[in-house]
Every structure is written in structure tokens, then in C-alpha cells.
Amino acid sequence: MRGFAALVLAAGKGTRMRSRLPKVLHPLAGRPLLEHTLTAIEGLATNSETSAPGEASDDPPPIVVVVSQDADSIRSAFAGRCLFATQSAQLGTADAVLAAQPTLSSLSPSPAYTLILPGDAPLLTTKMLRSLLEAFRQSDSPLALVSAQAPDPTGYGRVVRDERGRICAVVEEKDTSDWQRAITEVNTSHYCIRTDWLWEHLPHVQRNAISGEYYLVDLVEMAAKQGYTIPTVSAPLDEVMGVNDRVQLAQAESLVRRRILERLMLSGVTIIDPASTFIAASVKIGQDTVIHPFTTISGSATIGSECVIGPHSVIRDSQIGNQCEIVGSWLEEATLEANVHVGPMSHLRPGAHLATNVHLGNYAEVKKSFIGAGTQMHHFSYMGDATVGENVNIGAGAITCNYDGTPIKKKTLIEDGASVGSDTLFIAPVTMGQGATTGAGAVVNHDVAPGTLVVGMPARPIRRVHTKQEGESTPPTPPDAPARGEGEE
Ligand code: UD1
Ligand code: CA
């Protein structure tokens, strides 16, 4: 039997964000604010330390999130991960908790105590939640809370203590007297409350005269007046800061970014300049990879070991094998096998798949195409909707013309060992056979037979290409045929 549940308050208007997007869906290090909170709560699972005797430790506690009526986007973003309760009018944090009473009460077993957490404090850690649970369990108080020292406490509720250091109340900034306003110990909005005591006292919270809201913090004064010594867990502000506006969102971003980078550095990734490196929490990077400055890696990207990434690279949702090098380039939903070089200034778009030892140089663009092992494409070329074989050389300026104005893009197939001359245009759909060669400026609008040299516009066969296995057969060369395109380095 698990003794507690977690309740997250996320129904506030988020007015200070000045956004049409609900506050808890704003991304922080690439993930919505609320997801950070849910992850910290879920971390309470699988650790026997969190369990009081008789409690299972395998499952996370049930999580209820209070949302406003028009929060379909939040519900669908987190469906299956938590239960939802609806607060129909935003009448304050006490009212939000009350709105969750039916959902919490329907849980089986009924939670003996409830962690109540703000949806807008995404830097919290599982460790801090464990300390809060521990402080609650060791005390007879019906309520425990987290506080922090804030050099600038503006905007936070102040924790007011008596001369013996016992908590008397939490006073919201608008209600503070001058001396209370100077208090730097602030309420972080993380509580652990005995559930039956909560339901008994919540209806007695009075509407605040200034804001017209029902404040959850008023429970603190009620417990103090009942003679309880309210335990507090003191947390660094870095872990509990609230995100109310976009200035605080940026502050939180820089804190969480630093955490992610430190975790990566401690796991064996070199980050040359953390200040100019942006990596999302979900990204995985192997050992001895070096990340150079001005690099952003986001989404579900995974990067192998011993890679060199950056400077000036942007990588989103891409899978990169070991020992790859990405210099000053932009990758989206691309797959790179091992030992691939890209850049500088290339662009891999969704569906680009580069096999081992592929070398892409400057201004290469690849979309929805497979580029076979060992193929080289060094200078300003575009491969779209193409399948390119192994060890192909793609000369400067070669382009697949895959779009003819109709919705279905046309495919180009370039077989193993082909040599594509500079400025070749492939008028798709078209196939260039194995070992074939195109001359510079060839406009290929018909399939090219394997082992054949084609030149001109439209490209026409000139002769068989000399290979080790066969002698050269030479059909007459038209006088105006352009010279064969140079292979590019
Ligand atoms: C709150 C605390 C304050 C504390 C600060 C810490 C109260 C009254 N104040 O202030 O003591 O120092 O957090 O960051 O609790 N919410 C609802 N429904 C509502 C109102 C709010 O669900 O009707 C949710 C919000 O979505 C938010 C959380 O409750 O996640 C806190 O509300 P917010 O308005 O951000 O309170 P603060 O002014 O930050
Ligand atoms: Ca807040």
C-alpha cells in the first residue's frame, strides 16, 4: 500500500507569461515545464528509501494535475501519465486543491498524505521531494513545507517565524508589513500535508481581501495556531524557483542547461564552452565526444562516442553514430552511421541517411535520401528523394530535380561506383547505372546504362567507361560534346 499521492497545481492563468500557450507547456531545455515536475515525482519510484514500512516502492505515487477548463492541450500532452482534475474558475491555490478533492478521494488506496506541488517550479529534484517526505514523516505536524533563502524575495510568500524560530505563517507579498517584506526566507509552494487534515481545514480558508483569491498558504497559519511545529526543508533557490514570466523562464533555462551540461561532462563528454552550448535534457551523447561552441542539440538526438560536433552546429532529432564529425551544419531528423563527416555549412533534412564513411563537404543538402557507404559529395549539391550507392563521387553542383510541380516527388537512383560530373542535373525519375559517368553539365533525363559515359543536354551516351575488367569501346564522339566532368575532391 502506498501512503501518499502527488498533486500538481497547474490551473493558474499564467497571466504574467503573456502567452496563448498555457504556462506549463512552455518549453524548458526542450521539454514542457510540467514534464520536469512529473519526472521528479516519478523519480520517487523504485527507491526503497522513499517507502515507509509496509509501502511498495516500485511504482511512482499516483499523480493528479489540476488544470483549468480550457486545458485540452495539457491533457493531451500528458495523457496516461497522470490523472486530471478541473478547476472551473481560478480562485487561488486553495481552491485549486479543493477542485482535486474528488479525484484524490477516488484513489484506492486513499492516500494518507499528499505532496502538493506547483506546476511552475520545474527545477525541483526527486532528492528534495524525498527530504520533504522524510521531514513530514518524522514530525507530528499535519503539514511540512519547503523554504528557500532568496536574496531578492520579491514576489514570493515570506515565511514568518516567532522568536523561537517556529513558523507562524506564510504571508503573501501583497499582505506583508514592512518588516515582513524584508524577510528573505520564502515559501516555495512545495508541501506535504496529511490528507484528512487537509480536507477538514481547506473549507475554512478565507478569501484574501486584496486579491480575492483563496490561498493555500493560509493552512500554514492554521497548523501553527493549533500548536504544531511545522517542519521545513531548506532548498537552494536554484531548485525551487517559480517561473511566472519569461525573464524567470530564461533564468530557469540557464540553470537547467547548466545541470544538463554538467551531467554530460561528468559522463565523459567534453563541452568546450558551456556558455554557448545548448543541449536538451533528452539528448544522449557517448563518451569522448567533443562539443564545440555555439552548438544546439535538441529533441531525441543521440550522438555516439568520439564524435566532434560544432562549432556552430544545430542538431535536432537525429541519430549520429560513433566518430562522426559535424562542422557548422544543420541536421534535422537525419541518420548518420559511423565515421561520417558533414560540413561546414551543410544541411541534412528529414529522412537523410548517410551510411558509414560518407563525406559531405560545403553547402551539401540531403533530404529523404540514402547515401551509400564511402560516397563523397564535397561541394554545393542537392540530393532529394534519391538513393545513392556506395563509393559514388558526386561532383560540385550536382542536383536531383525531384519536383515537377506535382505532389509526388520523383526519385533518383544512382548506383554503386558512379561518377557524377560537376553540374549534372538528374531530371527524376531517373536511374544512373553502376559505374556510369556523367560529363560536366549533363542533363540526365533518361536512364544511364551501367558503365556508360553520358554528356550534354539532354545527356546521351558517348562510350563505355573504361574499367579494369573490360577494354574501352569508343562510339563516335560528336564534335560539340563537352569534355568529361572532373571528379571533385
Ligand atoms: C505561490 C505562493 C507563494 C510562493 C510562490 C513560490 C500561494 C498563494 N502563493 O505564489 O507563497 O512563494 O508560489 O513560487 O500559493 N494555481 C492554480 N489555480 C489557481 C491559482 C494558481 O492551479 O487558481 C497554480 C498555478 O498554476 C501555479 C501555482 O498554483 O502552478 C502557484 O500559483 P501562482 O499564481 O504562480 O502563485 P505565486 O504568485 O507564484
Ligand atoms: Ca508561481
Side-chain angles (χ1 to χ4, degrees), residues 170-405:
V170 168
V171 181
E172 287 306 290
E173 180 154 275
K174 283 180 186 153
D175 301 322
T176 47
S177 61
D178 285 347
W179 70 268
Q180 287 171 336
R181 210 166 304 125
I183 295 172
T184 52
E185 185 184 7
V186 297
N187 172 38
T188 69
S189 260
H190 302 76
Y191 317 89
C192 186
I193 308 184
R194 212 170 68 213
T195 314
D196 57 357
W197 188 92
L198 176 69
W199 302 141
E200 191 186 334
H201 292 81
L202 208 51
H204 300 299
V205 170
Q206 299 295 307
R207 209 171 184 145
N208 182 277
I210 299 173
S211 67
E213 290 191 1
Y214 296 89
Y215 287 164
L216 189 61
V217 294
D218 289 359
L219 293 180
V220 176
E221 191 171 357
M222 286 186 200
K225 282 194 170 143
Q226 289 172 1
Y228 291 109
T229 302
I230 297 163
T232 48
V233 168
S234 129
L237 199 58
D238 283 7
E239 288 186 14
V240 292
M241 68 168 285
V243 173
N244 298 307
D245 56 34
R246 298 194 201 220
V247 175
Q248 288 170 329
L249 182 64
Q251 285 163 352
E253 180 78 34
S254 98
L255 288 166
V256 80
R257 184 152 68 87
R258 184 79 212 182
R259 256 192 221 168
I260 294 166
L261 297 180
E262 281 176 6
R263 170 172 57 75
L264 287 168
M265 289 188 273
L266 292 172
S267 75
V269 177
T270 294
I271 295 172
I272 305 284
D273 179 26
S276 67
T277 305
F278 302 80
I279 301 180
S282 44
V283 170
K284 295 188 177 65
I285 305 181
Q287 250 182 7
D288 290 318
T289 282
V290 179
I291 314 287
H292 286 274
F294 304 104
T295 290
T296 298
I297 309 172
S298 63
S300 60
T302 62
I303 293 174
S305 53
E306 296 176 37
C307 294
V308 177
I309 311 291
H312 293 281
S313 289
V314 175
I315 298 171
R316 173 179 70 74
D317 296 323
S318 297
Q319 317 308 314
I320 295 172
N322 297 334
Q323 294 169 328
C324 288
E325 210 175 356
I326 316 290
V327 185
S329 291
W330 197 291
L331 278 62
E332 306 158 86
E333 296 171 41
T335 302
L336 273 58
E337 296 179 14
N339 202 29
V340 170
H341 175 100
V342 177
M345 290 158 288
S346 282
H347 185 187
L348 301 189
R349 293 167 50 203
H353 184 146
L354 276 46
T356 20
N357 301 324
V358 165
H359 197 292
L360 251 59
N362 320 284
Y363 305 103
E365 177 179 346
V366 179
K367 185 220 74 171
K368 218 173 172 184
S369 294
F370 178 85
I371 311 289
T375 287
Q376 318 264 324
M377 176 165 150
H378 287 256
H379 322 280
F380 51 99
S381 296
Y382 172 55
M383 290 291 122
D385 302 279
T387 301
V388 180
E390 295 181 2
N391 299 314
V392 171
N393 190 74
I394 299 174
I399 286 170
T400 54
C401 307
N402 55 340
Y403 183 53
D404 60 4

Side-chain angles (χ1 to χ4, degrees), residues 8-14 16 23-24 66-67 87 89-97 117-121 155-158 170-172 186-189 191 213-217 240-244:
V8 181
L9 308 185
K13 294 197 194 97
R16 289 167 277 180
K23 175 160 75 173
V24 293
V66 189
V67 293
Q87 184 190 20
Q90 277 55 66
L91 297 177
T93 40
D95 180 68
V97 175
L117 311 171
D120 66 350
Y156 287 99
R158 312 295 204 276
V170 168
V171 181
E172 287 306 290
V186 297
N187 172 38
T188 69
S189 260
Y191 317 89
E213 290 191 1
Y214 296 89
Y215 287 164
L216 189 61
V217 294
V240 292
M241 68 168 285
V243 173
N244 298 307

Side-chain angles (χ1 to χ4, degrees), residues 14 32 34 81 90 92 149 172 361 370 374 447 462:
L34 183 57
R81 218 164 147 183
Q90 277 55 66
Q149 284 298 333
E172 287 306 290
F370 178 85
D447 291 353
I462 297 296

